[in-house]
Amino acid sequence: EEFLETREQLQRLQNGNHLLFQQVPMVEIDGMKLVQTRSILHYIAEKHHLFGSDLKEKTLIDMYVEGTLDLLEMIIMHPFLKPDDQQKEVVNMTQKAVIRYFPVFEKILRDHGQNFLVGNQLSLADVILLQTILALEEKVPNILSVFPYLQEYSVKISNVPTIKRFLEPGSKKKPPPDDTYVRTVYTIFAP
Amino acid sequence: MAGKPKLHYFNGRGRMECIRWLLAAAGVEFEEIFIEGPEDLEKLKNDGSLLFQQVPMVEIDGMKLVQTRAILNYISTKYNLYGKDMKERALIDMYTEGVADLNEMLLLLPLCPPGEKDAKIALIKERTTNRYFPAFEKVLKSHGQDYLVGNKLSKADIHLVELLYFVEELDSTLIASFPLLKALKARVSNLPTVKKFLQPGSQRKPPLDEKRLEEAKKIFKIK
């Protein structure tokens, strides 16, 4: 990982033509400089067999990922809201999660009784959903209280060996955003 | 026996237009079921037809697909507009997402409060000429081929050309110093399927007028 800490570092990447649209994230992989979160996610998912076994499974995964990303986007933007708006937004996110998104995934899991959302194997959809559930639980610890299948699912996915390792202290998983994080982002992107 | 895809949306561009362009470019005939008022949307929700209670929704091959990107990716794969391997798909995805970012700014412009509109338009023009157009011009220049990826028409070309038409509506001078983009626009526009779609009477939607904007706000409960 190459962490950006100053505006100059970002400018160096931009001026060196490493960023197709002058933006990060950027991931150097297999000789490419990939930008745009979704294209990076799709490439990695497909390369490592996390994108289903046929077109129909891939499409289900795509739909579920896109829905979950709408929710995750709210979480990502949250630290940058005005402090007065932040609590209101937690309520808004919680409502969206509990009324729109979680019931969908609860039903999917209940209907097929399998451990994973699609095709009885781990996919990008499970990874993104778990990330989103854990991020929401940091703000609202009992957010899964009325979703028994999601509760069990969350535990099962967390116990997938690679994910379990990632959830342990000392991994590359980043901590919840704090004031230092917000300040750094503003310094680099909006001085 | 699969019939024509059925598109569920209001009678305007919004988030369905890129799907219309893609189907049209692929030569796929489609039907449209227009949401004309909030009750129509409620009915779709209550029928259980909308996975996340949202449109666009496209009925295709026995599925009720939602989420614009999932719909576009399915159609592209089915009609061979998504590259021939993972690396081509990665490039197509990157270019598509860049187009989507600029398109999103244009899409949300009608909802901008009047006092902020001029600043937003200035930002869109600045991003177009300093960020997005140069990026795509450079891609075309780097390989000198007729299309963005793999020397073959893909969804990336279709989405970009659609965007070029939208930008032209905003300011027709912006494309002036991008000869390869102009060439791509002409080339794709001359493909028989696209040419047909660009003619009056097709399912291509016009820019939002006041009446349609109010209709959309009522349907989607936007203040």
Side-chain angles (χ1 to χ4, degrees):
Chain A
E1 294 193 86
E2 189 188 283
F3 293 119
L4 296 182
E5 275 149 9
T6 66
R7 184 152 182 79
E8 293 66 42
Q9 277 177 288
L10 176 64
Q11 285 169 332
R12 235 177 294 139
L13 281 175
Q14 291 169 331
N15 298 336
N17 291 310
H18 301 290
L19 307 176
L20 181 64
F21 301 116
Q22 314 309 326
Q23 296 164 314
V24 286
M26 187 271 276
V27 174
E28 295 181 71
I29 181 170
D30 298 340
M32 298 178 292
K33 291 188 162 82
L34 288 185
V35 296
Q36 292 290 345
T37 304
R38 283 168 174 89
S39 77
I40 299 166
L41 287 174
H42 287 179
Y43 183 79
I44 296 167
E46 202 174 340
K47 186 178 180 188
H48 296 282
H49 309 294
L50 292 168
F51 220 165
S53 59
D54 59 29
L55 179 57
K56 286 220 165 173
E57 285 191 358
K58 190 173 193 207
T59 302
L60 288 179
I61 292 166
D62 239 350
M63 272 206 297
Y64 301 162
V65 166
E66 287 299 306
T68 311
L69 284 176
D70 280 349
L71 187 53
L72 188 60
E73 176 84 7
M74 298 172 83
I75 296 165
I76 291 170
M77 296 310 296
H78 183 259
F80 303 99
L81 296 174
K82 288 200 280 281
D84 291 341
D85 292 333
Q86 283 189 7
Q87 188 43 42
K88 217 173 24 180
E89 186 65 359
V90 171
V91 171
N92 186 27
M93 280 193 281
T94 306
Q95 275 180 338
K96 282 263 150 70
V98 161
I99 294 171
R100 177 174 286 184
Y101 296 104
F102 287 173
V104 171
F105 299 120
E106 181 80 359
K107 181 174 194 296
I108 288 163
L109 292 166
R110 196 175 57 233
D111 285 352
H112 64 40
Q114 291 168 3
N115 291 341
F116 305 100
L117 283 173
V118 179
N120 212 10
Q121 60 177 353
L122 185 73
S123 76
L124 180 64
D126 302 299
V127 176
I128 302 285
L129 181 55
L130 180 68
Q131 177 193 357
T132 304
I133 287 171
L134 295 180
L136 280 169
E137 280 181 336
E138 280 168 5
K139 300 194 194 310
V140 183
N142 62 345
I143 201 165
L144 286 185
S145 58
V146 302
F147 301 104
Y149 282 86
L150 279 174
Q151 284 176 37
E152 203 187 318
Y153 167 83
S154 182
V155 171
K156 283 205 191 115
I157 306 300
S158 299
N159 276 307
V160 168
T162 48
I163 294 175
K164 189 171 187 175
R165 255 203 316 275
F166 189 67
L167 292 174
E168 277 159 8
S171 83
K172 293 198 170 122
K173 181 175 182 294
K174 301 296 173 276
D178 58 12
D179 287 335
T180 306
Y181 163 79
V182 173
R183 255 200 317 274
T184 308
V185 169
Y186 278 126
T187 302
I188 298 169
F189 297 103
Chain B
M1 163 70 183
K4 296 181 196 172
K6 289 191 180 58
L7 278 51
H8 295 263
Y9 203 63
F10 87 101
N11 190 359
R13 289 176 177 174
R15 297 186 186 287
M16 185 64 99
E17 191 71 355
C18 52
I19 295 167
R20 298 182 183 111
W21 266 82
L22 188 64
L23 284 168
V28 178
E29 286 184 18
F30 56 91
E31 287 172 18
E32 300 195 82
I33 296 150
F34 293 122
I35 296 165
E36 275 154 1
E39 337 66 51
D40 294 335
L41 185 58
E42 283 313 301
K43 184 164 187 299
L44 276 174
K45 289 183 190 181
N46 296 335
D47 283 345
S49 297
L50 307 178
L51 187 65
F52 300 115
Q53 313 308 320
Q54 296 164 315
V55 286
M57 187 270 276
V58 173
E59 295 183 71
I60 184 170
D61 297 339
M63 298 177 290
K64 288 189 162 95
L65 293 185
V66 296
Q67 291 294 337
T68 306
R69 286 172 173 90
I71 297 166
L72 290 171
N73 293 348
Y74 180 80
I75 294 166
S76 304
T77 306
K78 189 176 178 190
Y79 295 103
N80 295 309
L81 291 166
Y82 214 168
K84 68 175 199 303
D85 58 32
M86 270 176 53
K87 285 206 169 181
E88 286 195 355
R89 272 193 287 287
L91 293 179
I92 289 168
D93 271 346
M94 269 205 302
Y95 304 156
T96 299
E97 288 300 306
V99 168
D101 280 349
L102 183 55
N103 193 46
E104 187 78 4
M105 297 175 80
L106 288 165
L107 180 73
L108 296 175
L109 194 56
L111 297 176
C112 197
E116 291 172 26
K117 221 165 198 171
D118 285 343
K120 267 278 141 67
I121 290 176
L123 181 62
I124 291 171
K125 291 188 187 187
E126 193 267 328
R127 287 275 154 85
T128 299
T129 36
N130 292 340
R131 177 178 288 188
Y132 294 104
F133 280 11
F136 295 119
E137 184 80 6
K138 190 168 174 208
V139 168
L140 290 167
K141 189 156 188 216
S142 73
H143 55 50
Q145 291 169 359
D146 284 352
Y147 299 106
L148 284 166
V149 179
N151 208 12
K152 182 173 182 277
L153 182 74
S154 75
K155 73 194 286 285
D157 304 292
I158 297 162
H159 297 324
L160 177 55
V161 169
E162 180 191 358
L163 180 68
L164 295 178
Y165 276 99
F166 292 161
V167 169
E168 187 180 44
E169 281 170 6
L170 183 74
D171 183 343
S172 58
T173 68
L174 297 181
I175 201 175
S177 39
F178 300 97
L180 297 178
L181 286 183
K182 282 195 274 204
L184 180 73
K185 184 169 181 264
R187 186 175 306 119
V188 171
S189 301
N190 271 309
L191 297 171
T193 48
V194 178
K195 196 168 189 174
K196 204 165 135 204
F197 188 62
L198 289 169
Q199 277 158 8
S202 80
Q203 285 160 302
R204 188 166 70 116
K205 301 294 173 277
L208 274 184
D209 56 24
E210 271 309 308
K211 181 163 159 275
R212 286 266 185 247
L213 176 61
E214 287 315 304
E215 187 185 302
K217 280 182 173 178
K218 245 194 285 216
I219 294 167
F220 296 111
K221 299 196 170 66
I222 303 168
K223 294 197 185 68

